[in-house]
Amino acid sequence: MQGACLLLLPGLWLQLSLGLVPVEEEDPAFWNRQAAQALDVAKKLQPIQTAAKNVILFLGDGMGVSTVTAARILKGQMDGKPGPETPLAMDQFPYVALSKTYNVDRDVPDSAGTSTAYLCGVKTNMRTIGVSAAARFDQCSTTRGNEVTSVLNRAKKAGKSVGVVTTTRVQDASPAGAYAHTVNRDWFSDADLPADAQTYGCQDIATQLIYNMDIDVILGGGRKYMFPEGTPDPEYPDDASENGVRKDKRNLVQEWQAKHQGAQYVWNRTALLQASTNFSVTHLMGLFQPGEMAYDIFRDHTTDPSLEEMTEAALRVLSRNPRGFFLFVEGGRIDHGHHANIAYRALTETIMFDNAIAKASQLTSEADTLTLVTADHSHVFTFGGYPLRGTSIFGLADGKASDRKSYTSLLYGNGPGYRLNMGSRADVNEKQSVDPEYQQQAAVPLGSETHAGEDVAVFARGPWAHLMHGVQEQTFVAHVMAFAACVEPYTTDCHPQRPSGPSDTAHQLHPASEMGESTSQAAGGFDGPVACPLSQVLNRRLFSSALYRPTAAAPKKFWRTVHMQQGRNWVK
Ligand SMILES: [Zn+2]
């Protein structure tokens, strides 16, 4: 596909034996001019030190830096260019930090512990969500008293509208960090709760989605956890495996609709697009698949919305609140593509995620909206082998390996791509490697490829985005969002909100005539930017719930032992 595009532009490229490089790049003036322009932009950067009316957190599940780089090249190639020179939407954010992703009990984390870190500001144990590390995996009785609170919850308390958008199930680990407290990320519905969890009063994640707080927009997959066991799915009525699964016979969608006048539930793309432009809709829930949504390359465009469309729909509903909003958007299936060792899936999902970021950047203003883009963790996904410029990102590395066979520039450290052919590694040609179903080779056999432990990037744009600097704990993400938006625990350190102007978010999303109220929160109170006492603010207590009581006495043991769980391949 990209090769064909390149061949349309023969005059602009110097063709090597296999690759293509832009001729202009041979001229030093090209690089000097480009760097001077970048320098000019950098010199003009002005920190925005007024309150963020809105906050958007984009979470690419499993989107390590190697994934960002490879997706950038793919996106550039799909645009008819060699690839690496073409910026993603997230590349254009002015500030970047590194985030240390480890869980309290693991050097390499899962998506549950990490969502607690970047949404609640507290690190915890693997497989647990919205509880501190004092809680124990799968032990319901350790939940109570150890709950920690998310930025989404705090934003709601501050009067903002809040939303959760994902391509996975809305009850999955990443979005659940916004609203749930659970010692087991797999307790999606009551059917997943063991007997002792029911005895101790632990609730399934789907029930918590409806009752823990008032979430204005909920979009993603996960229909089956909301309906009574045996309820036929509206899209797959003849497939019993897609039926509702709740053993308590509750219809959580109906219960949610009864709670809010103006609540609308949709399960397909057409209804979503209609509901998002209907001003009588105050609460919007869209569940587009019984389980996870399809990879975008397999999506039915008539029934299922893209992540970009869901993001736009969410912004349209949330931006009606003059006090602003908090929105969490997850590109959740980047992770799944990597677990399967199918880079094509992971990278195309990353591009769809980037398209959603581009859309949100168009629809919001940098002046009043803090947007962060990050990942929960990386994957053992590598990009190497000196491939020629302009060759497919899914193509071969230059030259042969020591076994005299070709190899791809994309590879995995472990996973199902490990295969031996007559006792040795299979040879590969480009026709095979560019197939969308091709599994890149892995060094170690595993049924599901693992996460990786290196730092991930945090890209930042908008008010207080400049705080995203240096190497930080992942918890810093939640604290910057809370501080920028002036929500708990930073309400006493508040900075003035910028008066709304014609370029601000609400005006971009809605014509002025449709805006019933002023979008300014700072009427009469704006005195211009004021520096915050950051040294005080950032040394504050970490987030914790009112229920959380730290141990009075100093702990006697400095270490506790965590145990390996051999033979289990359950990390997601
Ligand atoms: Zn995963």
Side-chain angles (χ1 to χ4, degrees):
M1 161 176 56
Q2 58 272 17
C5 293
L6 293 175
L7 291 173
L8 294 175
L9 304 164
L12 298 178
W13 313 103
L14 173 68
Q15 183 150 13
L16 302 176
S17 57
L18 287 169
L20 293 163
V21 297
V23 172
E24 62 182 355
E25 293 184 16
E26 294 187 339
D27 183 354
F30 169 83
W31 298 105
N32 292 333
R33 191 171 54 246
Q34 187 186 69
Q37 285 167 355
L39 194 57
D40 208 35
V41 170
K43 285 190 296 187
K44 288 178 182 159
L45 271 182
Q46 290 280 347
I48 302 171
Q49 299 184 84
T50 46
K53 176 183 168 190
N54 312 308
V55 176
I56 309 174
L57 175 59
F58 279 99
L59 193 281
D61 196 313
M63 190 185 70
V65 172
S66 56
T67 302
V68 174
T69 306
R72 177 188 302 137
I73 293 173
L74 176 58
K75 195 168 185 178
Q77 292 184 345
M78 290 170 77
D79 200 26
K81 303 193 174 80
E85 68 297 315
T86 308
L88 293 164
M90 67 183 97
D91 292 342
Q92 295 166 52
F93 282 30
Y95 300 98
V96 180
L98 287 181
S99 161
K100 295 157 66 179
T101 65
Y102 65 94
N103 289 155
V104 167
D105 60 341
R106 304 274 178 154
D107 281 344
V108 178
D110 84 329
S111 295
T114 52
S115 75
T116 309
Y118 62 74
L119 280 167
C120 302
V122 174
K123 289 214 181 201
T124 192
N125 299 320
M126 184 185 262
R127 307 205 81 206
T128 68
I129 301 168
V131 291
S132 74
R136 296 288 180 269
F137 168 64
D138 211 36
Q139 295 178 33
C140 167
S141 62
T142 65
T143 311
R144 193 171 298 250
N146 290 321
E147 297 94 337
V148 291
T149 309
S150 74
V151 176
L152 181 139
N153 195 346
R154 295 171 189 278
K156 186 71 191 185
K157 282 184 192 153
K160 295 181 187 299
S161 293
V162 297
V164 168
V165 173
T166 181
T167 48
T168 61
R169 300 164 282 199
V170 295
Q171 306 87 355
D172 217 50
S174 308
Y179 62 84
H181 310 285
T182 180
V183 290
N184 188 329
R185 56 179 286 171
D186 291 333
W187 291 351
F188 298 114
S189 82
D190 68 318
D192 303 307
L193 285 176
D196 78 306
Q198 303 210 12
T199 307
Y200 281 109
C202 280
Q203 285 191 314
D204 62 275
I205 298 170
T207 302
Q208 295 191 46
L209 171 69
I210 304 308
Y211 286 100
N212 278 10
M213 62 196 77
D214 172 14
I215 305 178
D216 303 272
V217 174
I218 301 167
L219 301 174
R223 275 199 296 258
K224 64 182 173 187
Y225 308 110
M226 309 298 279
F227 295 100
E229 188 174 25
T231 309
D233 186 84
E235 197 172 348
Y236 312 102
D238 301 324
D239 185 349
S241 69
E242 306 288 17
N243 287 353
V245 296
R246 298 199 66 83
K247 295 201 178 297
D248 58 13
K249 305 293 180 196
R250 289 168 67 178
N251 181 328
L252 292 180
V253 170
Q254 216 168 55
E255 291 180 28
W256 175 79
Q257 284 182 291
K259 281 173 62 175
H260 312 286
Q261 204 180 15
Q264 186 162 351
Y265 168 69
V266 299
W267 59 267
N268 62 63
R269 178 178 178 271
T270 308
L272 172 72
L273 299 184
Q274 284 171 356
S276 68
T277 53
N278 180 348
F279 275 69
S280 67
V281 174
T282 61
H283 288 69
L284 177 58
M285 183 191 294
L287 301 178
F288 305 103
Q289 285 293 327
E292 277 141 0
M293 293 184 68
Y295 286 108
D296 200 82
I297 51 172
F298 302 134
R299 178 169 62 92
D300 181 334
H301 290 232
T302 59
T303 56
D304 288 357
S306 65
L307 184 60
E308 181 182 342
E309 289 170 334
M310 290 195 289
T311 302
E312 181 170 357
L315 288 172
R316 290 199 179 283
V317 175
L318 297 175
S319 63
R320 293 173 196 156
N321 185 341
R323 302 179 78 171
F325 62 82
F326 173 85
L327 175 62
F328 173 77
V329 180
E330 184 194 25
R333 305 215 63 191
I334 300 166
D335 181 68
H336 300 168
H338 281 321
H339 280 306
N341 280 170
I342 301 178
Y344 187 88
R345 294 183 186 174
L347 299 187
T348 48
E349 287 296 302
T350 306
I351 289 173
M352 296 305 150
F353 179 62
D354 195 61
N355 289 345
I357 296 164
K359 175 59 74 175
S361 297
Q362 287 165 16
L363 294 177
T364 58
S365 164
E366 189 173 10
D368 68 0
T369 303
L370 172 66
T371 306
L372 301 180
V373 178
T374 190
D376 44 1
H377 54 75
S378 184
H379 274 268
V380 292
F381 170 68
T382 67
F383 172 42
Y386 313 109
L388 294 176
R389 180 92 175 272
T391 54
S392 168
I393 186 63
F394 301 109
L396 303 178
D398 186 24
K400 303 281 185 188
S402 305
D403 58 7
R404 298 181 189 171
K405 294 172 183 170
S406 297
Y407 65 106
T408 54
S409 57
L410 301 181
L411 289 167
Y412 288 93
N414 60 46
Y418 175 93
R419 272 195 209 95
L420 295 184
N421 189 4
M422 306 287 285
S424 66
R425 185 178 73 89
D427 203 355
V428 55
N429 60 45
E430 184 149 305
K431 186 168 181 292
Q432 295 165 328
S433 71
V434 301
D435 187 312
E437 290 297 305
Y438 178 72
Q439 267 183 326
Q440 279 74 20
Q441 293 177 355
V444 172
L446 281 181
S448 175
E449 176 258 19
T450 72
H451 299 169
E454 78 269 14
D455 301 345
V456 296
V458 189
F459 304 84
R461 165 192 193 259
W464 299 99
H466 57 285
L467 299 187
M468 273 302 163
H469 78 116
V471 181
Q472 305 288 350
E473 294 288 357
Q474 193 164 42
T475 48
F476 189 61
V477 172
H479 286 257
V480 167
M481 293 191 294
F483 174 76
C486 279
V487 303
E488 289 179 8
Y490 298 108
T491 48
T492 56
D493 310 289
C494 273
H495 17 273
Q497 187 163 334
R498 183 181 176 277
S500 294
S503 66
D504 288 359
T505 307
H507 293 270
Q508 292 192 21
L509 284 156
H510 309 292
S513 59
E514 291 178 359
M515 296 301 297
E517 297 178 68
S518 161
T519 54
S520 173
Q521 245 191 294
F526 182 74
D527 298 316
V530 174
C532 285
L534 275 186
S535 55
Q536 293 170 28
V537 170
L538 299 178
N539 287 326
R540 281 273 177 85
R541 65 186 166 87
L542 297 177
F543 291 13
S544 61
S545 74
L547 293 170
Y548 178 63
R549 288 178 297 277
T551 325
K556 287 179 185 154
K557 289 200 302 184
F558 289 99
W559 309 102
R560 72 177 158 92
T561 308
V562 293
H563 300 280
M564 302 291 286
Q565 303 197 29
Q566 292 282 2
R568 298 185 66 183
N569 187 19
W570 38 249
V571 178
K572 288 175 265 187

